[in-house]
Amino acid sequence: MEYLRRQSESDTSSSESEFNGENAEDLSYSDLETVPDFLLLRSNELRALQLDHNEILCLPDTISSFKNLVTMDISANNMTILSPELVKLHNLKTFIARNNCFDTDSIPKDFGLMSSLEVLNLGGNNFKELPPQVTELEHLRCLYMGGNKIEEVNSSIKSLTNLEVLYLGGNCLTEIPAEVGCLHKLTALVLCDNQIQSLPPTLIHLQQLRSLSLHNNQISTLPTAIVSLNIVELSLRNNPLVDKFVQDLVYNPPTLLELAGRCIKIDGLPYSCEELPRHLVQYLDSAHHCVNIKCKGVYFSSRVEQVKFVDFCGKYRLPLLQYLCSPSCSTVISPSPSLSSDSEPEEEDNTKERMRRVLLG
């Protein structure tokens, strides 16, 4: 999440700078129940207004007087509705309204007319869907809708063609629409802490994507096209995909039958149906060679499941499952021809560390 943190700091740095000048007013944590009248005397000069953590249940109609506002924060006020007068703030670029009680019905019908909005944060509210008015904000660059109750993202999301950051973590999503692939300027996509089972192959079109957060979902497979993306940060921890490969698996020691069969196959001892019962011959013929080319061993049913990493974006690797004859082979794995990469052989010794970095980060 380091990339997204830097991106967020970049988006908010300009906003915070607005609060440091004479054209800013910070009234957070002031026990306010409405916008104080004395602010109206400065309504034309104010460019930043911070009203978070108060008891303002609804913005008054006089909010339309602050026509030069660029940044406004009304987070944590227990608001249930947004005043329609908000739409008259034609210069507003950053609007933060986290941790209130908003839902889709709380948003003014003509909210989409706020064409100046570039950053919108409605995280920690009661939205069950992405408000359609939000998808009409054509200049929106950053949309934060985390910590809501969103169950579905409508295909109209494709209208946000200037979007660079889309934060949908901590919702109730089970799938992502293919239209997300139309957001060609997207650099950060956060889908963590949902119930998503799979991703649309259209993500291949997000060639600007650098951060993809998918941890704490139900993802068991990834679209193969994802390897073509130049992702800087990828998080997949706590998904069935990772659990399947990462969990320490119990190794069942070979039976006496398997040990005998291994000796026969490794030493190349001859056998035939004339000397052994047919079922033993069939058993010996079912031997599998260990994928470690430095090992001449074989296995029948007792095997070690191991992860083989293949190159991903030049930085990471994706895990593929392969089988070894014994735990002693798990630390010395040579790449098979079909899964070879440009990495040095000694890098294979860092398998667990790579898994931790790639999938658990």
Side-chain angles (χ1 to χ4, degrees), residues 9 44 60 111 113 153-154 177 185 200 211 237 260 319 355:
E9 289 179 352
N44 288 329
F111 189 76
L113 297 178
V153 176
N154 193 280
K185 293 185 179 181
S211 178
R237 66 181 183 273
M355 176 65 83

Side-chain angles (χ1 to χ4, degrees), residues 15 25 48 96 105 107 116 128 134 176 200-201 241 270 275 278 336:
S15 299
E25 188 71 47
I96 305 172
D105 294 333
I107 308 299
S116 60
K128 292 186 177 181
V134 171
I176 297 299
L241 168 68
E275 301 167 327
R278 180 177 297 275
S336 62

